[in-house]
Amino acid sequence: MTEPYAAKHYSARAQDYVSSTVHSQGSDLDMIERLVVKKELRRVLDLGCGGGHVTYRLAPHVGEVVACDVTGPMLDAVTQEAARRGLSNVTAVQTPAEELPFEDGGFDAVFCRFTTHHWSDAIAGLREAGRVLSPSGTALFIDVTAPPSALLDSWLQSMELLRDLSHVRDYTVAEWAALLGQAGFVLQAVGTHRLRMDFESWVARTKTPSERVVAIRSLQQAAPEDVKRYFGIEADGSFMIDVSSFQVMPL
């Protein structure tokens, strides 16, 4: 199989995501931990684990965490960090979300945070998540979501793509609901909060080339007032995004 673009793109960026403040903190991580604590879950999946921050929260409370990602160096960094933290129940598997090498119903829970916007085929990845989830299991998907306004949506996707060429799409909440339904999930709860992105660390984390950093700043400075207001664009380029969580169970 040809190496996915995202895997090539993130190979040199792995350690930046392990140490990322935005990725290592947040009320959504607290929510993930609450979903597993005292549940005695045997085996859970961190789908598109990135820097492994979901894995580190899950591991003390479950039998085994399978951390899977399409990027080999990212998994190496996660394995090393898990060992440093004394988490001996973490297994790393390199695979795209759309082709999971796991048996049907093999996981008590599936967690997926800040990765779906990289998938080349979101519905295929979600269906795979549903396939490997136990019929009595639960899943939680968390990602940046686009505003319903076409204007605001276009500006968000433009900034995201200039910053990170592996970006596919930040879906709207309505699009998420439709995708999850098509993938065979029942939506139990949806929550949205706002998250401030510090511009300097945002572009440093993805090693965005200077000419594209200039392009993003040019876009921001030329944006209509509605765009500047919604995203709270600051003088240094920092801005606000919407992050949504979708708790689901199989049909």
Side-chain angles (χ1 to χ4, degrees), residues 193-212:
H193 66 278
R194 304 212 84 193
L195 182 64
R196 180 181 180 271
M197 307 305 292
D198 174 78
F199 188 82
E200 186 175 348
S201 61
W202 183 63
V203 294
R205 197 160 49 245
T206 46
K207 296 180 168 54
T208 305
S210 59
E211 68 271 15
R212 292 208 299 274

Side-chain angles (χ1 to χ4, degrees), residues 2-180:
T2 303
E3 183 183 25
Y5 186 87
K8 291 184 285 187
H9 188 68
Y10 276 91
S11 290
R13 298 161 169 81
Q15 197 57 49
D16 295 312
Y17 278 78
V18 172
S19 59
S20 167
T21 300
V22 166
H23 291 79
S24 64
Q25 300 176 5
S27 58
D28 52 341
L29 285 172
D30 297 335
M31 177 171 57
I32 286 169
E33 193 165 9
R34 287 196 299 271
L35 283 175
V36 298
V37 69
K38 298 181 180 178
K39 296 288 179 60
E40 298 184 357
L41 300 182
R42 178 184 57 86
R43 189 175 183 230
V44 300
L45 178 65
D46 181 3
L47 178 57
C49 66
H53 301 291
V54 170
T55 288
Y56 312 141
R57 285 294 189 102
L58 292 171
H61 307 291
V62 303
E64 179 190 13
V65 183
V66 176
C68 79
D69 201 274
V70 76
T71 307
M74 196 77 80
L75 291 170
D76 293 340
V78 170
T79 300
Q80 292 165 15
E81 179 65 14
R84 188 188 71 78
R85 296 182 184 217
L87 303 172
S88 59
N89 59 336
V90 174
T91 303
V93 176
Q94 185 175 2
T95 180
E98 297 90 343
E99 300 176 30
L100 299 180
F102 309 121
E103 70 276 16
D104 294 0
F107 292 95
D108 299 318
V110 173
F111 297 92
C112 183
R113 180 177 183 253
F114 293 146
T115 185
T116 311
H117 59 272
H118 292 297
W119 295 356
S120 60
D121 188 339
I123 188 64
L126 292 173
R127 282 176 175 152
E128 278 291 270
R131 179 184 65 77
V132 303
L133 180 63
S134 163
S136 60
T138 188
L140 183 68
F141 298 93
I142 299 169
D143 209 352
V144 178
T145 43
S149 156
L151 171 70
L152 299 173
D153 183 306
S154 293
W155 281 80
L156 174 63
Q157 311 297 342
S158 298
M159 288 193 295
E160 290 268 46
L161 186 59
L162 281 168
R163 179 243 187 181
D164 177 2
L165 295 181
S166 71
H167 176 75
V168 176
R169 177 164 178 77
D170 294 327
Y171 298 98
T172 65
V173 170
E175 287 172 331
W176 262 102
L179 287 167
L180 289 165

